[in-house]
Structure formats: structure tokens, C-alpha cells
Amino acid sequence: MLSRRYTIVVADRTSGVVRRATVSVKPVAITACVALVTPILIGLGAAWKGRVDTAQLRTSHQALEIENASYRAATRELAGQIESLQSAIADLAGRSALDPNLANAMDKLPALVKSRAMGGGTPQQVDRTAAATLSSLTVPEDTFGLLRSLLERLESRLHDVRRNVDKRNALADATPSMWPANGWITSRVGPRRDPITGGDDYHAGLDIAGERGQPVYATASGVVKQLGRQGAYGNLVTIDHGFGLESRYGHLLDYAVEKGAKVKRGDIIGRVGNTGRATGYHLHYEVLANGRLLNPLQLLTQKPRDR
């Protein structure tokens, strides 16, 4: 049937001209089929491409959700570390504040005493190479990893700094820096004329004259190491402050503490008397570092508290 041919006759009634055209059925049918099928194929192709693109977008979206969840978890972890660092820094700021007069007294302590409190290495700065590497990273995972590593190292080093600050504060508490009694100085450390015999003498401490029964204060925190009658010292209290530091309080009228008691700077430990080898009511005060006498006047910066 497709091989048949048809002739189309067209006649003009006015002029009488007749025109004929022969048409084959097969080419016409093929052209018609192509014209009908082409839009359908285009639509199917577009639908298939849309389905593929949608699947790719869905896969990409799922991958992004997983990646974002990972970043959120890493961000929360870093935020927690930063908060911990901020807390540590604030804590250090509070602990590191020190009275200038007390700091000055600590500076005058023997080097051996200060080394016992300040032992341990000084924290190093964060490696510059690590900071340079951070600026050159382009992959977020690597950036998060390096940031986490740097924060952990900073946190560890802040803990070291905090331990050193605690040691320094402990030394500050142990530094005999407060005047042990109200009164006036009648004798200093060094050579002098013996007040009883008139001969040459070396005075090992500081004599502070006062009225009978005036309070005597612990000049730093520590533990009462010795308490009792001790020859020329009369009634004596010895306080061990740690770090090799000791303070002695002689000629006391009586005691306000017991042996082994823990005391703080400013606690009353006894009263001014004239027991032992004394010519009047006064306090004999000594400071020792590793068994060697120190001049108390180099350390005394704080007045006694009013009671």
C-alpha cells in the first residue's frame, strides 16, 4: 500500500489551466510519523534527564546533610574547648592578682626558696609553624583537626600556667610580710651592744617594744612547729611556713595557739611579754630561710590588723 502513487489535479476555471502533481504515499507517511514521534522523544528525554538530575541532587543533598552534621559536631566540640579556655583564662586572671607590696617581699626571698615554688618548665608559645599551616589549609576537615589540636595544646599549657600560679600564690601566703606586732623597733639584726652585759653582741632578730599583753600576729600562713620555753627566747613560738621558711616569736607572755595548729597571716598566736633574757616588754622576731637568718625588715610590708 505504501508503494502506491497518487496524482493530484488542480484546475483553474478562469484560465482553464490544469496542474498535476504525483505524490508517493511512503515519504508522506514517514514525514508524518517523524513529525508525530519527535515531540514525544524530546519529552521522554527531558523527563529522563530531569529524573537523573533529581537523583543526583538528592544524593548531593544527603551528602551535604551528613557533612553539615559532622561540621556541627566539630563546631560544638571546638566551642566547648574555647569555653573551657575562657574559663581557665578568667580563673588565671583572678588568681594571678597579687598585692604589689607582697610581690616585692617575695622578690627579696633567697633564690633557693623561690625556685622551690616556681619549679617546672615555663609553657612555650604555640608553634609558629602550626599557625602558618593553619593559614594555608583549604580542606575544612583539616582545619577543624588542626584547630582542635591547637586548642588542646593551649588548654594543657594553661593548666601548667595555673599550677605555677598556684605555687606562686602558695609562696605568697608563706612569705612573712606582715608586722608581727604594733610598737616601735628597739633593736635590729646585726652587731650591737648587749643590753645586759654591755659587751659585744650579734642580734639575730628584730625587737619590737610594746605594752604588756599586746597581740602578736603570725606574719604568714603556716603550721606551729614549736611552742614552749626555749632558753633566752623565753616563751617561743616557731611557725613553719613551708618552702624552707620559718618565723620565730620570742619573750611571749603566753600562747594563743597549740603545737601543730594551722595558722593564717594575721592570726593571733600569743601576747607580748618579757619572758627569757629580756629587759622589758617586747617581741623578739626572727625569719629563717633554709636555716639561715634573714633580715625581717626586707620583708615586712603589711601593718598588723586592728583587733
Side-chain angles (χ1 to χ4, degrees), residues 6-300:
Y6 293 89
T7 301
I8 299 174
V9 179
V10 178
D12 188 344
R13 293 182 179 181
T14 303
S15 61
V17 176
V18 177
R19 292 181 176 83
R20 295 177 176 84
T22 301
V23 179
S24 177
V25 176
K26 185 176 181 179
V28 173
I30 292 173
T31 302
C33 289
V34 169
L36 291 173
V37 171
T38 298
I40 296 174
L41 293 176
I42 292 174
L44 290 174
W48 177 81
K49 186 177 185 303
R51 189 178 298 109
V52 171
D53 290 344
T54 302
Q56 291 177 345
L57 287 174
R58 187 179 294 108
T59 302
S60 177
H61 178 70
Q62 291 175 348
L64 286 175
E65 284 187 342
I66 295 173
E67 188 175 3
N68 287 338
S70 176
Y71 289 162
R72 284 194 295 269
T75 302
R76 283 195 297 269
E77 182 180 350
L78 290 176
Q81 287 181 292
I82 291 172
E83 185 178 355
S84 177
L85 286 174
Q86 290 174 335
S87 176
I89 291 171
D91 181 60
L92 279 176
R95 295 188 185 190
S96 60
L98 203 61
D99 180 82
N101 292 327
L102 182 54
N104 184 52
M106 291 171 59
D107 288 339
K108 296 179 180 178
L109 291 172
L112 179 59
V113 173
K114 290 188 285 188
S115 67
R116 289 177 177 175
M118 306 305 176
T122 302
Q124 300 176 353
Q125 296 179 347
V126 179
D127 297 340
R128 294 181 180 178
T129 54
T133 304
L134 177 61
S135 64
S136 65
L137 291 176
T138 57
V139 181
E141 291 87 347
D142 293 343
T143 303
F144 276 118
L146 182 56
L147 281 174
R148 189 182 297 107
S149 176
L150 290 176
L151 287 173
E152 288 174 354
R153 292 168 65 184
L154 282 173
E155 191 170 21
S156 175
R157 289 173 181 176
L158 275 175
H159 286 319
D160 292 338
V161 172
R162 182 162 49 193
R163 283 194 296 268
N164 288 339
V165 169
D166 288 342
K167 291 179 181 178
R168 189 201 64 175
N169 289 343
L171 178 61
D173 288 339
T175 300
S177 59
M178 177 180 167
W179 283 84
N182 287 304
W184 58 97
I185 297 175
T186 56
S187 186
R188 301 169 183 261
V189 175
R192 69 169 183 174
R193 184 73 61 182
D194 190 291
I196 296 178
T197 66
D200 293 336
D201 182 33
Y202 183 86
H203 193 233
L206 193 68
D207 285 348
I208 303 174
E211 297 180 0
R212 182 181 186 275
Q214 282 185 205
V216 174
Y217 306 98
T219 56
S221 300
V223 178
V224 178
K225 177 182 177 181
Q226 183 180 0
L227 183 149
R229 194 86 176 183
Q230 187 72 20
Y233 287 101
N235 293 333
L236 175 71
V237 171
T238 301
I239 298 177
D240 181 359
H241 303 289
F243 305 101
L245 295 170
E246 287 186 2
S247 58
R248 295 173 179 171
Y249 311 78
H251 307 314
L252 298 177
L253 180 66
D254 53 23
Y255 314 107
V257 290
E258 297 179 355
K259 184 176 180 179
K262 293 182 179 179
V263 295
K264 295 181 179 179
R265 179 184 286 116
D267 286 351
I268 296 176
I269 60 173
R271 293 189 296 162
V272 172
N274 66 343
T275 57
R277 194 171 183 270
T279 57
Y281 289 100
H282 73 280
L283 171 69
H284 176 83
Y285 176 66
E286 295 179 6
V287 176
L288 297 91
N290 303 311
R292 300 183 63 179
L293 288 170
L294 296 180
N295 186 349
L297 287 176
Q298 295 180 342
L299 306 176
L300 300 179

